[in-house]
Amino acid sequence: MGNIIIKISALVFGIALWFLVISQKDFQLSMEVPLNFVKLHENMAIASKPPHTLQITVEGKSWDLIRLRHQMQKDNQNVVAMVVDLQNVELGGTRIHLDAKNFVAPGFPDVSFVEPDNQLIFVDLEIDTRIVRNVPIKSNVNFNAAQGYLLADEPKILPEELKVSGARNALTRIIDIPTDSINFDTLRSSGEFVVPLNFSSLPAFVSPSDSTVKIAVNIQKMNNKTFKNVPVNLIGFFDRKTYSLDPETVSVEITGGEQVLDSIDAKDIELVLEFNRFAIEDADSLAPTVKLTLPASVNRDMSIKAFQVKPEKVRLNKIEAKPAAAENTEEAVQEAVK
């Protein structure tokens, strides 16, 4: 029993001694770290595409390197980095040498940067004037109304443009900023939807003023409304004493968005028939053309779905003139009575 205790104690002591020796020895570790740029003048911007990360070698005690790697694996971007001070940089192209002065690891004072043998680390930058520009937003969102409802207008992006800041020659290449591709289905009411913007195609070091945009949609319940005794106007060059329409008034049923229908009066509807159409189409009855006057704010193509005229067609009547002989006979009879 005593021998087992002695052996276990020796093993524990040996492990502890090994850890003590290891902890006092310096080791090197290769790792990929962020490349950060700081103190750039507010009137300047980076126009090129430098790397976001760099592969470097660091040196330190084993326990520090283990903790450092663990923090990096937790995606802690502030644990270690290579930092470039751009306070005194000038417009145009520049090459910056990176060494120990650029290395920062705030929580690991005993970890240091190792300069590569027989080579230097450089980063090439293009510095341009910073400008601010409003860029149009492009919607990649689909809105679909539920059955019995309709989308009464084109979705409105609020705002239509996004303010972005960055290098002049980078911003001039941006045509628009798209939203994420999203579908909204079975909508039954109007509202505003917050949609993320997609910055994947933006040049590097371009700063947008927002990451989302609102899109307003006008959803209305579909309904129909009937207007009775709407007159049909016969237009063109013809003898109005000779020709007339039968019937002269009809009913018009309009199918569309409920709110739009509520705003329509009978005076907004005009029914017309061109006199020459009867001869051109060789017909004695035709369907009149419906003209509907709506406010400029109403999207007719989307909010109005159908017109139905009842009866569907209107007949052209010709009034036959009385024979002259018959007219004279009638006048003679009237004189005789007198």
Side-chain angles (χ1 to χ4, degrees), residues 189-260:
S189 61
S190 302
E192 292 184 352
F193 296 82
V194 178
V195 179
L197 295 169
N198 188 337
F199 299 128
S200 60
S201 60
L202 282 185
F205 302 99
V206 170
S207 303
S209 59
D210 206 340
S211 61
T212 61
V213 68
K214 291 181 179 180
I215 302 181
V217 292
N218 183 0
I219 302 294
Q220 298 184 20
K221 187 175 182 179
M222 195 178 300
N223 209 336
N224 54 65
K225 186 175 181 180
T226 300
F227 301 85
K228 297 182 178 180
N229 300 320
V230 180
V232 182
N233 300 312
L234 185 62
I235 60 175
F237 297 100
F238 63 95
D239 186 351
R240 300 185 182 278
K241 295 181 180 180
T242 305
Y243 295 96
S244 65
L245 295 176
D246 182 27
E248 295 182 344
T249 64
V250 296
S251 296
V252 179
E253 183 180 88
I254 304 177
T255 302
E258 201 168 48
Q259 298 170 25
V260 174

Side-chain angles (χ1 to χ4, degrees), residues 28-322:
Q28 290 188 354
L29 177 66
S30 178
M31 59 177 15
E32 190 172 4
V33 301
L35 177 61
N36 299 334
F37 300 94
V38 298
K39 297 183 180 180
L40 181 62
H41 194 277
E42 61 181 9
N43 293 330
M44 297 180 179
I46 299 175
S48 54
K49 295 182 179 180
H52 295 292
T53 60
L54 285 176
Q55 191 76 25
I56 65 171
T57 300
V58 297
E59 186 176 72
K61 300 296 188 274
S62 60
W63 180 242
D64 286 335
L65 296 182
I66 291 173
R67 289 194 303 115
L68 180 60
R69 178 181 285 278
H70 178 68
Q71 290 293 323
M72 291 290 291
Q73 290 176 345
K74 291 172 60 177
D75 200 27
N76 187 347
Q77 297 296 324
N78 298 320
V79 65
V80 61
M82 295 294 285
V83 178
V84 181
D85 188 340
L86 299 177
Q87 185 173 7
N88 299 318
V89 75
E90 297 180 353
L91 292 174
T94 183
R95 169 169 283 192
I96 300 174
H97 171 221
L98 303 180
D99 54 22
K101 71 179 184 297
N102 301 104
F103 178 77
V104 293
F108 300 87
D110 296 327
V111 176
S112 59
F113 172 82
V114 178
E115 188 86 26
D117 295 333
N118 304 321
Q119 67 177 14
L120 298 176
I121 301 178
F122 291 97
V123 59
D124 292 319
L125 294 177
E126 183 73 28
I127 306 298
D128 195 5
T129 303
R130 177 180 294 275
I131 65 171
V132 177
R133 178 187 165 210
N134 290 327
V135 179
I137 297 174
K138 177 184 177 182
S139 174
N140 287 328
V141 184
N142 292 320
F143 296 96
N144 299 302
Q147 186 174 2
Y149 293 78
L150 57 82
L151 185 62
D153 201 356
E154 293 289 349
K156 292 181 172 57
I157 302 175
L158 306 171
E160 295 181 346
E161 296 181 327
L162 182 71
K163 184 180 293 184
V164 294
S165 171
R168 181 188 302 275
N169 61 4
L171 292 191
T172 54
R173 297 195 301 268
I174 302 175
I175 299 175
D176 53 42
I177 297 177
T179 67
D180 282 351
S181 297
I182 304 176
N183 292 323
F184 293 98
D185 295 318
T186 63
L187 299 178
R188 289 180 168 83
S189 61
S190 302
E192 292 184 352
F193 296 82
V194 178
V195 179
L197 295 169
N198 188 337
F199 299 128
S200 60
S201 60
L202 282 185
F205 302 99
V206 170
S207 303
S209 59
D210 206 340
S211 61
T212 61
V213 68
K214 291 181 179 180
I215 302 181
V217 292
N218 183 0
I219 302 294
Q220 298 184 20
K221 187 175 182 179
M222 195 178 300
N223 209 336
N224 54 65
K225 186 175 181 180
T226 300
F227 301 85
K228 297 182 178 180
N229 300 320
V230 180
V232 182
N233 300 312
L234 185 62
I235 60 175
F237 297 100
F238 63 95
D239 186 351
R240 300 185 182 278
K241 295 181 180 180
T242 305
Y243 295 96
S244 65
L245 295 176
D246 182 27
E248 295 182 344
T249 64
V250 296
S251 296
V252 179
E253 183 180 88
I254 304 177
T255 302
E258 201 168 48
Q259 298 170 25
V260 174
L261 293 180
D262 289 342
S263 67
I264 300 175
D265 294 324
K267 60 181 177 57
D268 301 322
I269 304 172
E270 182 182 4
L271 301 177
V272 296
L273 263 176
E274 174 65 41
F275 177 77
N276 290 337
R277 280 185 57 196
F278 289 96
I280 294 173
E281 299 182 30
D282 191 21
D284 58 4
S285 60
L286 294 171
T289 301
V290 181
K291 295 184 178 181
L292 179 62
T293 302
L294 294 173
S297 58
V298 175
N299 187 323
R300 172 171 173 164
D301 293 337
M302 298 183 67
S303 62
I304 301 298
K305 293 303 181 182
F307 296 97
Q308 186 174 4
V309 178
K310 299 177 182 179
E312 182 179 349
K313 294 184 177 182
V314 177
R315 185 180 183 85
L316 179 66
N317 285 338
K318 184 177 181 181
I319 304 172
E320 297 293 340
K322 295 181 180 180

Side-chain angles (χ1 to χ4, degrees), residues 322-338:
K322 295 181 180 180
E327 292 181 359
N328 294 336
T329 303
E330 185 177 351
E331 290 176 359
V333 171
Q334 290 177 356
E335 287 294 330
V337 171
K338 293 179 180 179

